[in-house]
Amino acid sequence: MSEAFPSDSYLENLSGLVDSRTEVYYPAKGEGLDWYVSFVKCIYRLVRNVSVASGLRVYRIGGLTFGVKSGKFFDGSTLREYAGTESGSLTDNVMNYIYMQSDGTVVVNTSGFPDASSTRHIRLATIVAADGSYDDDDIIDYRQCNLWSVAGLTQASGLADEIADAMPKVDLSVGSESSDTIQVTVQLQDIQGNNLSGNYLIRAWLADSQYGAECTTAPNNGTNWSTGTVLETQTTDKRWLTITDGTGKAVLDVSDTGTPTFYLNVEIDGKMYASSAITFV
């Protein structure tokens, strides 16, 4: 059922008035030759009101070609501008799904729109062409799916990235022994396993066991943080407050001429991490 218009008398009484919400002018009844000016006022105001709705609109060019109007959109907290195109290509005799990736690339496929939970995108339209052509009515606009998104990290993947960065974890890797020295690398990562950049304060101590207290006997040839800055040595060659470098990394050199085994335990934000065995041979 089509949408109903107001009564004729109601519409007649709008003559010469201006809509309070959109400021669209209703042409005045009975203006004679001046009616054209009234009509242009109406069109002018309509164009001003609907111009924002033309952004990223898919339109017909002809044959199996379509265009996409220029427009702007937010990719999380980043404003992106799309210049428009007149060279989109369709596959004949099948449903074409047209969408824009978060980097501003227009994609056309015949398998459907991507899963929004895994692929950030803007749905633009679908078009079914038949025998090498299509009409305006064959373009189904999907932009209304994106109208009410809020500028900022509101999409699930963007929000997940923000949360991941706010919850650092520690990756510990133990190197091979060389000249009685073994390097242990401490790398701050987000919860998704991506390396973090920036300076982080960590608590670190050598132990005789994973997650245990500081070791009974320190390495007999000493220790040195070759990467990172020691804020405080709490127990010589055993326990430290250390600041990572700008890449979120700190490296501890452990030296011993004997055959002991140590573990490097690290704490950040109350959570402990333990390295694999640091074994000298």
Side-chain angles (χ1 to χ4, degrees):
M1 182 178 295
S2 60
E3 182 178 354
F5 282 106
S7 66
D8 290 350
S9 60
Y10 178 89
L11 294 175
E12 278 192 278
N13 289 333
L14 294 177
S15 173
L17 299 181
V18 175
D19 182 78
S20 59
R21 290 171 298 178
T22 63
E23 295 190 2
V24 171
Y25 176 78
Y26 294 102
K29 183 180 179 181
E31 286 192 359
L33 293 177
D34 291 332
W35 184 87
Y36 175 76
V37 175
S38 293
F39 179 73
V40 171
K41 285 180 181 179
C42 175
I43 298 301
Y44 174 83
R45 192 68 75 190
L46 284 172
V47 169
R48 299 289 290 180
N49 275 274
V50 303
S51 60
V52 66
S54 68
L56 306 181
R57 182 174 65 85
V58 173
Y59 60 94
R60 183 171 63 90
I61 290 181
L64 296 176
T65 305
F66 69 90
V68 180
K69 295 289 186 181
S70 62
K72 300 178 182 180
F73 65 95
F74 269 101
D75 171 20
S77 58
T78 301
L79 178 64
R80 300 195 184 279
E81 298 190 32
Y82 179 68
T85 184
E86 293 184 347
S87 57
S89 298
L90 301 171
T91 300
D92 203 8
N93 299 312
V94 69
M95 177 77 77
N96 292 263
Y97 298 85
I98 306 167
Y99 62 93
M100 183 173 290
Q101 296 176 330
S102 59
D103 63 357
T105 301
V106 173
V107 178
V108 185
N109 66 39
T110 58
S111 58
F113 292 119
D115 184 351
S117 66
S118 59
T119 303
R120 297 161 65 183
H121 68 285
I122 296 175
R123 299 184 178 191
L124 300 181
T126 59
I127 299 177
V128 176
D131 299 326
S133 65
Y134 65 100
D135 296 321
D136 288 338
D137 289 343
D138 295 317
I139 303 174
I140 307 301
D141 197 331
Y142 271 79
R143 290 175 302 152
Q144 69 272 15
C145 298
N146 316 291
L147 284 179
W148 305 116
S149 61
V150 179
L153 289 164
T154 58
Q155 297 194 35
S157 57
L159 182 59
D161 291 340
E162 285 290 288
I163 294 174
D165 289 347
M167 301 175 64
K169 68 183 186 73
V170 176
D171 178 70
L172 293 161
S173 58
V174 178
S176 301
E177 182 179 353
S178 176
S179 301
D180 297 324
T181 298
I182 297 176
Q183 285 192 332
V184 184
T185 301
V186 180
Q187 176 64 59
L188 272 292
Q189 296 181 337
D190 63 23
I191 58 176
Q192 296 171 327
N194 304 307
N195 289 351
L196 290 172
S197 59
N199 303 105
Y200 293 84
L201 176 65
I202 60 173
R203 298 178 184 273
W205 63 98
L206 284 175
D208 295 322
S209 63
Q210 289 183 319
Y211 307 106
E214 66 181 53
C215 57
T216 303
T217 303
N220 66 21
N221 210 27
T223 59
N224 176 58
W225 287 92
S226 56
T227 301
T229 302
V230 176
L231 180 64
E232 179 184 354
T233 298
Q234 297 175 319
T235 304
T236 302
D237 291 329
K238 292 185 179 182
R239 186 157 55 102
W240 310 264
L241 286 178
T242 301
I243 302 171
T244 68
D245 69 3
T247 66
K249 181 172 70 176
V251 178
L252 176 66
D253 299 336
V254 183
S255 299
D256 198 293
T257 57
T259 59
T261 295
F262 302 100
Y263 297 86
L264 182 64
N265 294 328
V266 174
E267 179 263 327
I268 185 169
D269 292 343
K271 189 170 183 179
M272 289 177 56
Y273 301 84
S275 74
S276 58
I278 308 166
T279 300
F280 290 85
V281 296

